[in-house]
Amino acid sequence: MSATIGVGLIGTGYMGKCHALAWTSVGAVFGPKRRPKLVHLAEADPQLAAERAETFGFEKSTANWRTLIADPEVDVVSITTPNALHPEMAIAALEAGKHVWCEKPMAPAEADAARMRDAARAAGTAAILGYNYIQNPMIRQIERLLHEGAIGAVTHMRIEMDEDFMADASSPFGPKSDGAHGYGALDDFAVHPLSLLSVLVGLPRRVVTHMSKPFAARPTADGGSREVETYDIANILFELESGASGVLCVNRSAWGRKGRIAVQIYGARGSIVYDQERMNEVQFYSADDDPAVQGFRTILAGPAHDPYGRFVPAPGHGLGFNDLKIIECAELLRAIDGDAGARVIDFERGLAIERAVHAMARSHESGGWVDLS
Amino acid sequence: MSATIGVGLIGTGYMGKCHALAWTSVGAVFGPKRRPKLVHLAEADPQLAAERAETFGFEKSTANWRTLIADPEVDVVSITTPNALHPEMAIAALEAGKHVWCEKPMAPAEADAARMRDAARAAGTAAILGYNYIQNPMIRQIERLLHEGAIGAVTHMRIEMDEDFMADASSPFGPKSDGAHGYGALDDFAVHPLSLLSVLVGLPRRVVTHMSKPFAARPTADGGSREVETYDIANILFELESGASGVLCVNRSAWGRKGRIAVQIYGARGSIVYDQERMNEVQFYSADDDPAVQGFRTILAGPAHDPYGRFVPAPGHGLGFNDLKIIECAELLRAIDGDAGARVIDFERGLAIERAVHAMARSHESGGWVDLS
Amino acid sequence: MSATIGVGLIGTGYMGKCHALAWTSVGAVFGPKRRPKLVHLAEADPQLAAERAETFGFEKSTANWRTLIADPEVDVVSITTPNALHPEMAIAALEAGKHVWCEKPMAPAEADAARMRDAARAAGTAAILGYNYIQNPMIRQIERLLHEGAIGAVTHMRIEMDEDFMADASSPFGPKSDGAHGYGALDDFAVHPLSLLSVLVGLPRRVVTHMSKPFAARPTADGGSREVETYDIANILFELESGASGVLCVNRSAWGRKGRIAVQIYGARGSIVYDQERMNEVQFYSADDDPAVQGFRTILAGPAHDPYGRFVPAPGHGLGFNDLKIIECAELLRAIDGDAGARVIDFERGLAIERAVHAMARSHESGGWVDLS
Amino acid sequence: MSATIGVGLIGTGYMGKCHALAWTSVGAVFGPKRRPKLVHLAEADPQLAAERAETFGFEKSTANWRTLIADPEVDVVSITTPNALHPEMAIAALEAGKHVWCEKPMAPAEADAARMRDAARAAGTAAILGYNYIQNPMIRQIERLLHEGAIGAVTHMRIEMDEDFMADASSPFGPKSDGAHGYGALDDFAVHPLSLLSVLVGLPRRVVTHMSKPFAARPTADGGSREVETYDIANILFELESGASGVLCVNRSAWGRKGRIAVQIYGARGSIVYDQERMNEVQFYSADDDPAVQGFRTILAGPAHDPYGRFVPAPGHGLGFNDLKIIECAELLRAIDGDAGARVIDFERGLAIERAVHAMARSHESGGWVDLS
């Protein structure tokens, strides 16, 4: 009989469901050393908590997340609540000696994120963030190509993240337009591309930022309108540690873009192009091919791209967004088992990502370059 | 407390894993009326059966599938064994009053498939086949467009299914090249496109077929070679009931194709194009658009395409192959609950699909048109 | 001072304009041995003939094409009139010892095409047909790949030609729906794919055909309707001399398709994919690439693909449809100079293509396979 | 008999050939009021001048470009010599009362470009620059969509221009790496995207720039190496007059990119995407489409997109790079005829474009925003 690991889940919105699915499926997909046991679920409303526990397959439910954290049967805590609640919950869990799987970003304020990092250092348990895009086998394949020198030294890169949920000018004023909730696209989106930069080429060493508002005001419920305080668009020029230049663009008002994270990496001997909207493909150009037949190759995900084969034995059949969360869960289990090779964004790296975001915002204010150090 | 339904799984190869994942996840994704309870798993080797039961989360295991069928706690049986075993197992399960979820195709021989259909009629329980491609929200969207008349009456269609696992001439002679195991690409592949035809436009009324062998012989283990008896390529011209013409091509030796099922549907007012390798997209052309801006629209899967939203609330984030099996499982649960609107290929429809395949093979023999009736 | 060659042009519709542009531009693009001199233009209406001669830059004009053929200053005659007029004009020009550049197809009736071929044999001058698609540098690149064995022996191919000018059911009955003008898409379109087959893999050895009508009737000017006699859709299964199988589909009622000629060539070591709507690209898949980075390469036309560099020195800048006619003109000039390597479809090969079309039509009638021999 | 216009051509490199082809073909394609007469060609070497005159079809040749300008038969002068020679030649031609068609950019130094503009103002003849990308029917279609409000007010745009002729680190040090010849990609490339901005949304009002060098040094002929002084990569954040933000990236060391000019325009009701490597297509997304079938439409160039129909009557058959020059020539002839609607970048607009480039370079030096005013 293999060992088990007790799971607690706080929050049952979309990300809660996504964590629940990962915990439920990781056993059959990866056959990990420790089999997850769904122990405890916390949700603010006790009735909803009970319902969700049954739907998601958890044994117990509570309306008090501290009860869950105090449960000795719980070894690892999934935190999928609104960002502002992360610090308190994550720190409490870490102080209780639990492993933590917290949705990103860590916290709206840099200081809170730093406190979370400190707590993780003190606890010594696994503490990771839910940056699932890095788990895509195609992103791993890009990393492998870079590592093997398939495109030589990186000379330039561009990364764009675009969706359109804020593209409609007639959508009412809400929290996303309220300056109290953040900068806008910068904190909402930029952490994702930065997580990819982090694993592929490292974070920028300096940046210059410009943010803009597609719409000056949005309608309010009372028939009036309110001035928009956040920036749905942000654009950043950056330099990597190597001196290579880069461009980062994020836009949550880009009509027609639904889940676009478009990456272009140019190197001394080739190029790599990727788009999250076609997450089972990567484009690769090699200057070492015969000139008459050089071209971007559309590589379809397959068993040659670990861990795709855990899901489907045949290539070209496609993974989905939720599958990335299952991979993340497997990596978390590796981290919990002390595997140094676990592919995760821990609180240390997560803090560096969020510090980059805050530095970008300062650059917009100052109108000049800001160093990240 | 919601009702449960007891699940038995026979076979634990890739499709067994896929069924297990579906049974495990369908609760969290769909919140169905009856919650699956993973009761019993059967696998030929008792040791392996026990291991897989633990990995997949089943309570009991057995090396004797008849024990599983006899288990009163089992309400529904997933059959994922080699095709030749389907008839005996499915008929036994049906005779025991169980619901059956059997992988396709039903059986190598048409007569056995007919016996399975008869057993299902007699049992009156739900008996469906694992044609998961029809569950893709984009295929449903195509069906909706056709139903709404978005492209008018269908005038012509083409459907191609291509992979490359038989493309390497140096791959050794194996069962897929042995005439005792079937026709070749025709029975291996054609059932998938036919399942799509079945739900979208109905099965053909007559066909003419040509099959070919890319390689006359393949190497054997003893250093010799053996003549290939099956056809890795099959091409079919057909007529639909409406008189519209169509073309079906299947090729399992098509280098570079990994999971291609390319569909082109032409109508009196527009067109629809789809490729399973980009399963989260569908192309739609409407002749009703302003002529200067007419073009194929690349529609990305999203919550507007039911049941995508059950998996991810944001559009363009992508479902994967295994997600289709979860949808299929939810539809099976609807069928079990007697919902006439359940979207399934039952044994009745499955038999019609397999009869079409056999008719196509007869056409290759005769060199002329064959009626399907 | 280089030698010149006197050009006569019969017909000034679109193809006449296209020939005129080719004759005007071939000098600057290719710097051929003999520089074209635009001598004589013939058009049925004398006024229009004079106007077009000025616009196109011809010295003389006539309403009597026999006058043009009799002109001793004319060395080569471009024939761009309706197909039914080709035989008389081409044979007259050949009998007068002229070189002939005739638009395809040769003639509606096979016997007339055969007479043209006989006249060309007797004349011994250059006599070619306007199959400009074969002149695309990307088609030449495909030919080179096949010749070099880049994809090994061809195991299967598919070729589709689709446009939508007959897709609107409300378009009035016209000559294209009149059985007196031909079979329909078969003679209208299939010659183009067959010209590509001819240069790439050779013509089929046997075929089976099915044709269909998307619309049974079309409206007439008097408010009534008339039964359509031609087939806007034709589908053909074929076998090459090598025994490899193939599929040819042509459809002139395919909404959204504008100039599609989609080619798929599968071989023992790779694949090639091409679409005329993106005529400056070819896709190439090699099974010899490292498995983890195998994929279809999108090769952009460039100076590596002769004679692209004659038009633009930088790759990826794109040739257009009319440029193919300039290449064809240059090849004609090579043929006139007796260069056996000239890449042209002469009347001999052109007749073989048209015989294939008639054989395909006979197969539709008989419902069975027809040999082409 | 229609009027003629006498043409002089200075320079016979690639752009000279391209102008010659345009002058030769514009008559047949557009049937303009005045028919070009190829009068005089100038090339530094007298022998080469004579050869090229014959190849391109000019009546006279000279090694002294001042002779050409003095020729009373010459009404319009094409200047296709290296950029540094443009000012002297263009000003001389303008002072002689000729119309001028000068390749871009005007001049390496802003002051020289300003003198050219002044000379054009004084002359009052037509004086235009060779920005042929704006002539693409698809770019005109984008302009039409913007003008009609099809995507509402522009909220954000991105434009990238990438090629790979400087991507090989082993290419020897040459003029393009020599700081005396310019900034690098900025002046080499950015004028093209700026010409598109100029006609589509207007030039930026302020910019911040970062330039980088993919390779610090390049090999020299003597086996040593020399430090690279120019920047093969430049990235710019900008603001349009409307306040909308934008990003401009240019890279001449981008492996795999051959003629890429990728444009993304986001508006309040839709989006437009374009890539010069597929210059016969434009992507259009409308938020006014039914949500279930919203998607980017791939619109193929056709007669609905003026002046495509002048070249080919059928849609989807494709124009090429050289065809854009023919359109430009036709627009020049309209400008010469005093047509205020002629679509050209005259010296006034051309100067504004070059001033933008110099401002961008200053921003790189200062590290901050620079106003363009």
Side-chain angles (χ1 to χ4, degrees), chain C residues 1-2 14 17 20-21 24-25 27-29 31 35 54-57 133 163-164 256 258-259 276-279 281 283 298 300 309-323, chain D residues 1-2 14 17 20-21 24-25 27-29 31 35 54-57 133 163-164 256 258-259 276-279 281 283 298 300 309-323:
Chain C
M1 202 51 189
S2 70
Y14 167 58
K17 184 177 181 172
L21 278 168
T24 308
S25 303
V29 176
R35 213 155 44 77
E54 193 192 335
T55 304
F56 294 173
Y133 291 122
E163 300 195 13
D164 65 3
K258 306 300 182 183
Q276 177 69 23
E277 283 181 352
R278 287 178 172 168
M279 61 174 272
E281 300 177 11
Q283 314 278 329
T298 301
L300 287 175
R310 294 279 184 175
F311 292 85
V312 200
H317 282 60
L319 302 191
F321 180 88
N322 289 347
D323 293 328
Chain D
M1 203 49 190
S2 71
Y14 167 57
K17 183 177 182 172
L21 278 170
T24 309
S25 303
V29 177
R35 213 154 45 77
E54 192 191 335
T55 304
F56 293 174
Y133 292 122
E163 301 196 13
D164 65 3
K258 306 301 181 183
Q276 177 69 24
E277 282 181 352
R278 289 179 171 167
M279 61 174 272
E281 299 177 10
Q283 312 279 329
T298 301
L300 287 175
R310 292 279 183 175
F311 292 85
V312 200
H317 282 59
L319 301 192
F321 180 88
N322 289 345
D323 293 328

Side-chain angles (χ1 to χ4, degrees), chain D residues 2 40 51 54 77 91 96 108 111 158-159 165 217 231 241 267 276 283 291 307 342 368:
Chain D
S2 71
H40 217 138
E51 281 172 25
E54 192 191 335
V77 181
I91 292 170
R158 298 182 200 146
I159 186 160
F165 59 82
Y231 299 91
E241 282 300 336
Q276 177 69 24
Q283 312 279 329

